[in-house]
Amino acid sequence: MAFYFEEPSHTFGEYLLIPSYSHAQCTPENTVLRTPLCRFKRGEESPLSINVPLVSAIMQAVSDDKMAVALAREGGVAFIYGSQTVEAQAEMVRRAKAYKAGFSPSDSNITPDATLEDILRLKEKTGHSTVAVTHDGTPTGKLLGLVTSRDYRPSRMERSLKVEAFMTRIDKLVFAYEGVSLKEANNIIWDHKLNALPIVTKEGNMVAFVFRKDYDRHKENPLELLDAHKRYVVGAGVNTRDFEARIPALVEAGADVLCLDSSDGFSEWQARTLAFVRERYGEAVKIGAGNVVDREGFRFLADAGADFIKVGIGGGSICITREAKGIGRGQATAVIEVAKARDEYFEETGVYVPICADGGIVLDYHITLALAMGCDFCMLGRYFARFDESPTSKVLINGVYMKEYWGEGSARAKNWQRYDMGGGAKLSFEEGVDSYVPYAGSLRDNLAATLAKVRSTMCNCGALSIKELREKAKLTLVSSASISEGGAHDVLLKDSAMGYREK
């Protein structure tokens, strides 16, 4: 007969951490969130570590080259989605690796015959007030001028007014030529009291902007994740169908780490892909695998040579695998069991294989719970999809700005490779939904708040590192009544939009 687990599986929302003694030096500023990303042997260091324990999901709606740069700048890694052509994905990797810190390609561009109405729509879409006016409206077209918020006043100008009538023309602009160093560019900005400095080719084509605000951010950002050549660390997703063509292309493009993207990693297909990597590249190419939810799945992928292993099936906010197929496990229980298996594997073999909690994280404190339960880092989709840096559109719905967000198993993504079981090359039924998430602004601001909560909770547990958190954490299951007790209750909450509401 079938095997039955004696205990029900649990989610992160069913647990709380119990505080431990905190000494005087246990403050958020002293915490270290650096964590290994890839396997390593006892007594050695991981060949690749990240400075914050967060990576972005391998999803069309989450991780492109823009997200890769933004997240590496904050100390994490984005895995550029693989449900696109090999050439398109490799080009995204190249763009992210070629990104020169401080030099921002223009993503707000317009032609001179556009109108003020077009400028306002573009600003609403991108959130950027500096717009490059190029001859063809592309980021690399001939620069004709700039439009900033100082160039127009919607209350006093006709919306049909042409951009060329109010833009600051090129002959009135301070700009620099391609090849200028970042230090030289920043000196020009300070000398001329500029907010933005356009960088152009000798022929006058737009290359990038250097912004005054980025100088301050760079100085304030000691956690940015760089490779040996001072380029941002970039990840990329691969599948088990076209890996023989995709992996070499991504390696050639400069990807620092790869990850097999599958809803179920306990399969011969993943073992074959890992074997291909090891036979062709040895240990030089780093590749994670997954997803699994138990000890057997972990051991299988660890023995197959995975550099890290993702944990979780059906726990993502847009994932309906459990509903569609009845496959999965409560994410907290899955992480706890796989973490134990990882530690057993380390004791037996002397090889430490990091694990990644993928899915099931709804609130910020769930990240800390996942780390306390044993994961080395977390993969997030919905969380990052809300930000300016995600590749989806910002839309206004019922007076509220939202961002589009869809699952790789949805009809929109059609990423059948992620759910491949060796049959036909098609998505037979949906395992994900098409949805919206509330727009939240910039990645940097939101991530800073999230990590502040993680650091504070670690201090409540008397821990200054993730390893110490795992050693000192005390966790308790909570009842539904205690979950309700944990939020605001028995009061009238103030709400500026709707008056008072009872809680």
Side-chain angles (χ1 to χ4, degrees):
M1 62 181 291
F3 175 82
Y4 291 87
F5 286 92
E6 295 181 1
E7 296 292 330
S9 62
H10 298 284
T11 65
F12 293 132
E14 297 176 78
Y15 284 89
L16 287 175
L17 284 156
I18 303 297
S20 296
Y21 172 73
S22 301
H23 53 79
Q25 285 70 46
C26 196
T27 62
E29 304 81 53
N30 291 333
T31 57
V32 177
L33 297 179
R34 188 170 174 82
T35 189
L37 186 69
C38 296
R39 68 160 60 203
F40 58 94
K41 294 179 181 179
R42 183 183 283 112
E44 299 178 357
E45 290 189 2
S46 173
L48 182 58
S49 295
I50 49 180
N51 292 326
V52 299
L54 300 178
V55 301
S56 67
I58 311 168
M59 299 175 68
Q60 295 174 10
V62 179
S63 299
D64 62 356
D65 51 304
K66 186 176 179 182
M67 178 63 72
V69 170
L71 188 48
R73 185 180 287 154
E74 304 303 323
V77 172
F79 285 88
I80 293 175
Y81 70 92
S83 50
Q84 56 180 319
T85 66
V86 172
E87 295 76 18
Q89 188 186 19
E91 182 57 31
M92 281 191 180
V93 172
R94 287 192 190 92
R95 286 200 298 267
K97 294 301 292 184
Y99 185 91
K100 195 174 179 182
F103 292 83
S104 304
S106 178
D107 54 7
S108 290
N109 309 283
I110 208 159
T111 57
D113 59 351
T115 65
L116 174 59
E117 179 68 26
D118 295 323
I119 286 286
L120 297 176
R121 287 178 180 173
L122 185 59
K123 183 179 179 181
E124 182 177 299
K125 177 182 178 181
T126 65
H128 300 150
S129 58
T130 300
V131 179
V133 183
T134 59
H135 80 285
D136 57 0
T138 68
T140 56
K142 188 176 181 62
L143 182 64
L144 304 178
L146 288 186
V147 174
T148 70
S149 56
R150 293 177 297 182
D151 292 315
Y152 58 87
R153 296 186 69 177
S155 61
R156 296 190 178 185
M157 297 164 63
E158 293 292 331
R159 299 294 180 99
S160 59
L161 187 64
K162 298 287 187 182
V163 167
E164 61 183 352
F166 59 88
M167 70 181 187
T168 301
R169 296 180 179 276
I170 185 68
D171 57 347
K172 300 293 184 181
L173 290 176
V174 176
F175 59 87
Y177 287 110
E178 187 177 24
V180 66
S181 70
L182 183 59
K183 182 177 181 179
E184 291 169 336
N186 281 317
N187 286 339
I188 295 172
I189 286 174
W190 289 105
D191 291 343
H192 294 272
K193 299 180 180 179
L194 306 174
N195 288 324
L197 176 70
I199 309 298
V200 299
T201 65
K202 294 297 183 182
E203 294 73 31
N205 288 66
M206 188 68 189
V207 174
F209 278 112
V210 176
F211 293 100
R212 174 189 291 261
K213 62 183 180 181
D214 286 343
Y215 175 84
D216 297 326
R217 285 182 178 179
H218 180 68
K219 292 298 182 182
E220 296 169 358
N221 204 1
L223 295 178
E224 60 183 359
L225 196 62
L226 305 174
D227 65 16
H229 303 288
K230 304 299 183 182
R231 302 172 302 180
Y232 287 125
V233 172
V234 178
V238 298
N239 63 67
T240 58
R241 279 277 181 144
D242 64 5
F243 61 89
E244 291 180 322
R246 190 174 296 270
I247 289 176
L250 295 174
V251 171
E252 189 276 331
D256 298 277
V257 57
L258 307 175
C259 184
L260 276 162
D261 183 29
S262 174
S263 65
D264 178 12
F266 197 176
S267 73
E268 181 180 343
W269 312 112
Q270 293 226 350
R272 288 183 183 182
T273 308
L274 292 170
F276 168 80
V277 171
R278 295 298 168 236
E279 290 167 6
R280 181 157 180 170
Y281 300 101
E283 300 298 322
V285 169
K286 305 305 177 185
I287 180 169
N291 287 20
V292 299
V293 292
D294 65 359
R295 179 180 181 278
E296 286 181 275
F298 171 85
R299 300 283 303 209
F300 174 79
L301 292 178
D303 287 338
D307 281 294
F308 65 85
I309 294 172
K310 289 201 297 165
V311 181
I313 294 177
S317 60
I318 41 69
C319 184
I320 56 171
T321 293
R322 297 180 193 175
E323 179 181 325
K325 296 168 62 177
I327 295 292
R329 197 178 195 185
Q331 184 68 336
T333 300
V335 168
I336 291 169
E337 179 172 323
V338 174
K340 289 179 180 178
R342 177 209 52 211
D343 293 343
E344 291 173 2
Y345 193 83
F346 180 57
E347 288 301 315
E348 292 175 19
T349 66
V351 176
Y352 186 92
V353 183
I355 63 172
C356 167
D358 178 17
I361 292 173
V362 180
L363 302 173
D364 286 349
Y365 82 88
H366 292 168
I367 296 170
T368 319
L369 283 172
L371 296 171
M373 290 172 179
C375 84
D376 295 277
F377 56 97
C378 301
M379 178 173 278
L380 307 176
R382 178 194 59 84
Y383 178 88
F384 288 113
R386 303 172 301 147
F387 303 147
D388 290 321
E389 294 81 0
S390 74
T392 63
S393 299
K394 183 173 71 173
V395 295
L396 189 64
I397 299 178
N398 297 327
V400 178
Y401 279 110
M402 309 288 283
K403 290 274 283 185
E404 294 179 299
Y405 181 46
W406 59 92
E408 291 296 292
S410 67
R412 181 171 184 174
K414 295 184 176 66
N415 184 7
W416 61 269
Q417 295 95 332
R418 188 177 197 277
Y419 304 89
D420 183 27
M421 299 296 291
K426 64 178 182 177
L427 190 69
S428 300
F429 53 89
E430 289 186 293
E431 294 189 47
V433 299
D434 196 345
S435 64
Y436 298 101
V437 289
Y439 168 66
S442 74
L443 180 151
R444 178 182 175 83
D445 293 341
N446 284 275
L447 187 58
T450 295
L451 295 178
K453 295 176 187 177
V454 173
R455 291 187 172 101
S456 180
T457 306
M458 287 172 62
C459 289
N460 290 137
C461 297
L464 289 175
S465 68
I466 294 173
K467 182 176 183 293
E468 192 176 12
L469 175 65
R470 286 205 295 263
E471 293 168 351
K472 292 186 174 182
K474 296 182 291 185
L475 295 113
T476 180
L477 275 168
V478 293
S479 67
S480 58
S482 61
I483 292 174
S484 298
E485 180 187 61
H489 59 89
D490 302 312
V491 294
L492 291 176
L493 297 180
K494 292 181 180 179
D495 190 310
S496 59
M498 302 176 65
Y500 286 99
R501 57 190 176 90
E502 189 171 357
K503 179 90 173 184

